[in-house]
Amino acid sequence: MSATFTDHQAALRDEVKKLLTDGSIKGFIGYARGRDSYHPVPAIVTRPDQVDGLILDQFSIFGLTKYLLDYIFEDGKMGIVVKGCDALGLGRLINDHRVDRNKVHVVGLPCAGVLNGEKVAKLGLGKVQRVTDKGSAFLVEGDKGSKELPKTEYLWDKCLWCENHNPAGADTLLGSEVENVAMKPRDFSDITALEKMPSAERAAFWTRQFSRCIRCYACRNVCPACNCRECVFDIADPRWVGNTVKLSEQQMFHFTRAFHVAGRCVDCGECERVCPMEIPLMKLQRKLQKDVIELFGNPKPFVPSEVEVLGQFRVTEDPEEFM
Amino acid sequence: MLLTITADNLKSLLDKLARDSLLVAPVLEDGVTRLKPVKAASEIALDYSNTATSIKDFLFPQSEDLLRFVTDGTLSIEEIKPERAQVAFGIRPCDLASVALMDKVLTTGEYADTHYQARRKNTVLIGLACESPADTCFCTSYGYNPGHSAGADVMLYKDGDQYLAEALSDKGREVVGGPGEGLFKPADEAAGQAVKKAYAEKEVPFGKEVDVEGIDQLLDNFFDDQYWDDVSKKCLGCGTCTYVCPTCHCFLLTDEARGGEGLRFRCWDSCMFANYTKMAGGHNPRPSKKERVRQRFMHKLNYYPHRYHSYLCTGCGRCVAMCPVGLHIAGVIKDVKGVKAHA
């Protein structure tokens, strides 16, 4: 029976108001209400009068850390609220030397799982009045109905196998730490099934997925591991990768991106969640995670560490004879 | 004259159209309904509020070859003309309305876009009135409605287990009298008009929340408002809004040459991209998200209306549903009215 995110909303607003007023931060990256109760959106506030627009609720899934890149060339600190999974994204940006930890005030949000707004919105509960943590379920009370939603069915998939419920190294923690146990083991069965598919069938599966891509780059733009100073896909001269919309270019884009974040992906799942064409991008990432786990013996490639699996070269251990 | 067609006869008609020309229709694939070329009526999905992508994909494709050139001492140019006839089925009223807005930009004035013009000429639009508008739809805010048929060559309205039909252009009458011969029956005029009226008056709940009245004028003196600074901070800089929008029409031209032979093609571009207005030499007059976000909404709600006397938005709601950060036109309209009301 943990506190819900909403229980911390008042404390968050107080904290942000204090930080903005005393000048410790010049802006804060948090959440605001979206088009309904189920789709909170990012909000970046810079003045104390905007702070009451900040919300926290159990649908606050968006990983906000990528916004920090908008402020790296400015003086002063930015504040940001991070869940456990978001802290991994922040770790990615810090380890990649893109964000200076000293320029961020991290407000940590212990998390017992985030409700999947897409799923819950379909239940017709109306405007959400209250969410209560009942242990294995969240009770969602709306103005048109209430329902107890089992966590195993209504949380985002990544929350089920999450082992990072508490954001590490926060400057301020909202409430107290929650129990840090995965609800079920990390599950690669869908990836194994894809691996076992005859290659023609697997090619057909991915062809269908990538042919939907509209090259909006939402996946890249939200990804904390996609943090290059200039992305190869944005360089017009020379144009390394074509910008026409055809399958080969779409595949080139997604394969390049997947390989570039291999071993660096923090498993936040944001690429797949923001994709307007619902391309299952995490299947690519999770295949690479599985490979890194199996081939390099790193059980947690999604946790940024000092030594990255694919970011090192040990000549004496390299099995490649040619080298 | 109002007609009716049974669901089975409509399937026969669509099968014929798919055989004789390129038929584009809504297809459900991996949970996403979008317009796609189909080979048979059986592939078509009919249970959708609107398609994820719009008819724009087929009148103004995301990438399009324009001309081939050879430079072996002299220059020879061969224009690539889109000549294939296509029929688009299941086009919703908002998208029909969007075609009229695109026409103004691409076919009127001093220069016409010959490729767009050719595709328009070779395309038959079969509209389908909306039975259940999505909770992101707000076409009524702009004066359109779930039965709005302007722009359709043939308009269909589901009526129980059959469809009310109306041919609205010569192209539409050719479909009804040609491949459709024997498949349509005359409708009872009064009953048919009642069906049309019911669609025209169908409720669009979100439309009631979005009041666009006078927004073009409110934006006249809004260019330098702090609002653009505040609202643009959350923009992700992706192209989702512009690419799913049925009325965004910016593109970039590229020449690709190898040896003495080359191809000129165009691709959609997005004013949300950082390099959209980047000049040769590196200067960018829209250096931050503030200028880019402002441009998109000023274009739709102020610049275009000043020039063409209508908004460059039909309330299809795609940006409302798909913008990853909820920075959509309905929200901006509400916000600007709020800021102005408190000013």
Side-chain angles (χ1 to χ4, degrees):
Chain A
M1 247 62 45
S2 324
T4 64
F5 289 173
T6 313
D7 296 332
H8 302 308
Q9 179 175 289
L12 175 78
R13 287 179 184 171
D14 288 347
E15 174 77 2
V16 176
K17 256 181 220 167
K18 180 173 80 73
L19 293 167
L20 279 174
T21 310
D22 71 17
S24 331
I25 58 169
K26 61 179 178 178
F28 190 85
I29 308 168
Y31 300 96
R33 189 182 154 84
R35 63 183 150 99
D36 58 26
S37 300
Y38 308 99
H39 299 88
V41 295
I44 298 162
V45 297
T46 52
R47 300 183 302 275
D49 67 287
Q50 296 172 303
V51 172
D52 286 339
L54 290 178
I55 65 155
L56 268 187
D57 67 29
Q58 216 58 38
F59 299 98
S60 306
I61 186 66
F62 205 107
L64 303 166
T65 54
K66 189 70 178 285
Y67 284 112
L68 289 169
L69 287 187
D70 289 347
Y71 302 93
I72 53 175
F73 297 118
E74 295 178 9
D75 291 334
K77 267 189 181 187
M78 285 300 285
I80 188 168
V81 59
V82 298
K83 305 180 289 293
C85 51
D86 306 330
L88 299 183
L90 179 61
R92 174 83 279 137
L93 289 161
I94 292 168
N95 276 23
D96 291 349
H97 304 288
R98 294 290 276 131
V99 165
D100 178 355
R101 178 66 182 83
N102 297 318
K103 286 179 71 179
V104 187
H105 185 100
V106 179
V107 175
L109 179 62
C111 172
V114 183
L115 280 166
N116 183 328
E118 300 297 330
K119 277 189 190 172
V120 184
K122 291 193 179 107
L123 300 175
L125 303 178
K127 191 174 173 186
V128 175
Q129 314 287 347
R130 192 164 45 171
V131 176
T132 319
D133 191 341
K134 297 278 187 185
S136 63
F138 278 113
L139 171 66
V140 177
E141 295 169 82
D143 62 1
K144 289 183 185 161
S146 302
K147 203 165 177 183
E148 210 162 284
L149 308 176
K151 290 183 178 175
T152 48
E153 280 175 55
Y154 284 93
L155 296 187
W156 290 91
D157 285 351
K158 67 172 179 181
C159 303
L160 300 179
W161 56 67
C162 173
E163 294 171 324
N164 297 284
H165 293 261
N166 300 299
D171 297 306
T172 314
L173 199 66
L174 295 168
S176 46
E177 291 200 346
V178 295
E179 196 188 9
N180 189 30
V181 187
M183 262 171 257
K184 62 177 208 180
R186 192 169 286 268
D187 180 8
F188 285 111
S189 57
D190 57 329
I191 305 302
T192 312
L194 266 175
E195 287 169 343
K196 283 184 182 153
M197 260 186 204
S199 62
E201 207 179 301
R202 189 165 61 237
F205 171 81
W206 283 115
T207 298
R208 210 172 67 231
Q209 307 303 328
F210 291 128
S211 62
R212 280 206 302 280
C213 176
I214 57 171
R215 295 289 285 275
C216 68
Y217 299 130
C219 51
R220 176 196 66 179
N221 290 12
V222 79
C223 173
C226 263
N227 58 40
C228 289
R229 285 172 174 79
E230 187 168 22
C231 174
V232 70
F233 299 103
D234 284 342
I235 300 173
D237 187 21
R239 192 170 285 289
W240 297 106
V241 185
N243 54 357
T244 51
V245 177
K246 56 184 179 200
L247 183 66
S248 59
E249 309 275 26
Q250 260 100 291
Q251 286 176 329
M252 190 65 194
F253 164 57
H254 288 290
F255 295 162
T256 306
R257 203 183 84 78
F259 279 116
H260 199 185
V261 303
R264 301 170 55 253
C265 166
V266 295
D267 197 41
C268 70
E270 287 293 88
C271 52
E272 179 171 312
R273 192 185 63 77
V274 299
C275 176
M277 295 298 125
E278 298 182 32
I279 301 171
L281 292 165
M282 282 308 287
K283 285 199 197 300
L284 268 190
Q285 294 311 330
R286 288 172 49 250
K287 160 65 180 159
L288 292 167
Q289 285 174 11
K290 183 168 171 284
D291 283 353
V292 170
I293 293 169
E294 289 169 1
L295 300 174
F296 296 87
N298 176 350
K300 291 181 183 178
F302 22 81
V303 180
S305 63
E306 290 297 313
V307 188
E308 304 289 352
V309 163
L310 299 178
Q312 58 179 314
F313 179 62
R314 294 198 294 265
V315 69
T316 52
E317 294 169 33
D318 198 293
E320 175 57 69
E321 284 172 22
F322 180 76
M323 300 293 280
Chain B
M1 189 175 71
L2 293 176
L3 304 163
T4 60
I5 185 167
T6 63
D8 282 344
N9 280 352
L10 179 60
K11 281 201 179 108
S12 308
L13 173 63
L14 292 168
D15 278 331
K16 273 191 208 173
L17 293 169
R19 218 170 39 228
D20 300 342
S21 62
L22 177 73
L23 178 66
V24 170
V27 174
L28 173 64
E29 205 176 72
D30 300 299
V32 182
T33 304
R34 66 194 177 115
L35 293 171
K36 262 187 81 172
V38 296
K39 293 202 169 66
S42 56
E43 296 172 42
I44 299 173
L46 284 169
D47 182 21
Y48 64 102
S49 290
N50 207 351
T51 48
T53 46
S54 78
I55 183 62
K56 180 173 80 170
D57 293 25
F58 295 91
L59 296 174
F60 185 75
Q62 187 160 7
S63 43
E64 182 171 34
D65 294 345
L66 301 177
L67 54 89
R68 283 186 201 90
F69 53 84
V70 182
T71 53
D72 49 356
T74 58
L75 175 68
S76 60
I77 294 171
E78 180 206 344
E79 195 181 348
I80 302 166
K81 286 185 180 153
E83 276 163 352
R84 189 163 179 193
Q86 56 182 1
V87 179
F89 166 79
I91 309 306
R92 294 300 190 192
C94 51
D95 281 5
L96 294 170
S98 76
V99 176
L101 301 175
M102 294 281 275
D103 284 351
K104 288 186 191 183
V105 178
L106 298 170
T107 67
T108 66
E110 201 172 341
Y111 302 101
D113 186 308
T114 50
H115 282 72
Y116 177 82
Q117 230 170 8
R119 283 185 204 273
R120 277 288 278 130
K121 193 169 138 263
N122 295 335
T123 304
V124 177
L125 296 173
I126 302 180
L128 186 57
C130 300
E131 280 186 279
S132 49
D135 57 5
T136 47
C137 290
F138 61 109
C139 64
T140 48
S141 298
Y142 295 103
Y144 308 115
N145 63 63
H148 175 89
S149 62
D153 296 301
V154 178
M155 189 67 190
L156 298 172
Y157 308 81
K158 184 127 201 291
D159 179 22
D161 50 10
Q162 59 175 7
Y163 292 83
L164 179 74
E166 192 171 17
L168 296 162
S169 71
D170 288 343
K171 279 194 278 187
R173 282 182 280 276
E174 278 167 30
V175 169
V176 171
E181 196 188 354
L183 297 173
F184 291 87
K185 274 194 275 187
D188 177 84
E189 188 67 21
Q193 291 299 346
V195 170
K196 282 176 67 174
K197 187 163 180 280
Y199 272 100
E201 292 173 357
K202 194 178 279 285
E203 269 205 17
V204 180
F206 190 48
K208 284 187 186 163
E209 291 178 37
V210 188
D211 173 20
V212 304
E213 181 69 34
I215 190 74
D216 51 342
Q217 283 157 32
L218 286 180
L219 286 169
D220 277 345
N221 295 306
F222 205 69
F223 191 84
D224 292 317
D225 200 278
Q226 168 78 32
Y227 172 71
W228 300 117
D229 221 357
D230 292 344
V231 76
S232 62
K233 283 189 165 66
K234 68 176 173 183
C235 178
L236 209 55
C238 75
T240 303
C241 55
T242 51
Y243 285 179
V244 299
C245 178
T247 66
C248 273
H249 50 261
C250 287
F251 62 88
L252 64 90
L253 283 170
T254 307
D255 285 356
E256 265 179 15
R258 202 163 283 174
E261 292 178 28
L263 177 70
R264 171 169 295 179
F265 58 91
R266 67 172 164 197
C267 301
W268 292 351
D269 203 351
S270 171
C271 55
M272 298 294 104
F273 290 159
N275 54 6
Y276 173 79
T277 43
K278 195 169 173 188
M279 309 283 168
H283 176 66
N284 192 341
R286 292 188 202 135
S288 76
K289 294 196 278 192
K290 172 188 168 177
E291 293 84 11
R292 292 172 212 140
V293 167
R294 178 174 63 193
Q295 165 61 26
R296 181 158 193 274
F297 296 109
M298 288 295 279
H299 186 194
K300 297 208 169 287
L301 299 171
N302 184 272
Y303 307 151
Y304 185 98
H306 275 307
R307 198 173 173 129
Y308 297 109
H309 312 292
S310 45
Y311 292 108
L312 188 59
C313 172
T314 63
C316 76
R318 288 185 178 90
C319 59
V320 182
M322 291 192 231
C323 172
V325 303
L327 175 43
H328 53 76
I329 195 161
V332 168
I333 292 166
K334 278 195 216 181
D335 287 351
V336 171
K337 292 213 158 183
V339 173
K340 282 283 184 176
H342 294 103

